[in-house]
Amino acid sequence: MHSYWKAGISATDYNQKISGTNVNGEYFDHVHFIAYGEWMYRIFATYSRNINVYAGGGIFLGCNAYELFRKLPKEYRTGYPSAEFIYGLRPSVEMEAFVSRNVAIVVGVHSPITFSSSVSKDIWHVVGSLGVRVNL
């Protein structure tokens, strides 16, 4: 196969340092809970196809939950809702290395572009992933 479709769910915790804070630092915590669909095209493969590199992307939709794991001190309260709807684009690059016929170790870099978030710095992130893929 030269390409494939995939769908999944993901939770990514973002912690952004608040500028001008003390040495210990305060962080603004928000989590993206998303469902996504992607199309990936193989751009490199070994002759045996044990190692493959794919590039592609897709779309996502989900929820942005604020201060879920780490609450802000009262002096930094933001007034954001506890959660809000988000959607966007998700360009990706992945490498898979098969350890058996149907099981692969997968390393990926995803760069979600988020729309409709209340956080102005939440538009673009770079996220790495490591996992195991089982092809049925």
Side-chain angles (χ1 to χ4, degrees):
M1 295 188 332
H2 296 290
S3 64
Y4 70 94
W5 287 95
K6 71 176 182 171
I9 57 173
S10 172
T12 307
D13 186 19
Y14 297 106
N15 286 289
Q16 296 175 324
K17 188 169 184 175
I18 299 171
S19 62
T21 60
N22 60 15
V23 178
N24 295 335
E26 297 293 343
Y27 290 87
F28 179 60
D29 174 47
H30 59 102
V31 182
H32 285 192
F33 295 100
I34 62 168
Y36 63 89
E38 291 183 336
W39 177 77
M40 303 295 284
Y41 182 77
R42 185 173 52 216
I43 58 174
F44 172 80
T46 59
Y47 182 74
S48 64
R49 294 194 179 141
N50 285 338
I51 298 175
N52 301 291
V53 177
Y54 294 91
I59 59 173
F60 69 88
L61 57 91
C63 171
N64 192 1
Y66 295 106
E67 300 181 49
L68 189 63
F69 299 116
R70 182 184 291 184
K71 300 289 184 196
L72 280 173
K74 290 181 182 178
E75 64 267 19
Y76 295 113
R77 291 288 172 199
T78 60
Y80 290 130
S82 60
E84 68 183 348
F85 173 76
I86 57 171
Y87 64 95
L89 304 173
R90 187 178 165 177
S92 300
V93 175
E94 288 185 346
M95 182 189 81
E96 64 183 5
F98 282 90
V99 294
S100 72
R101 179 171 170 82
N102 294 328
V103 178
I105 304 295
V106 180
V107 177
V109 176
H110 315 284
S111 185
I113 302 165
T114 306
F115 304 111
S116 76
S117 177
S118 296
V119 180
S120 61
K121 293 185 178 185
D122 200 24
I123 294 174
W124 180 71
H125 296 281
V126 177
V127 179
S129 65
L130 174 66
V132 176
R133 177 178 294 146
V134 178
N135 294 331
L136 303 176

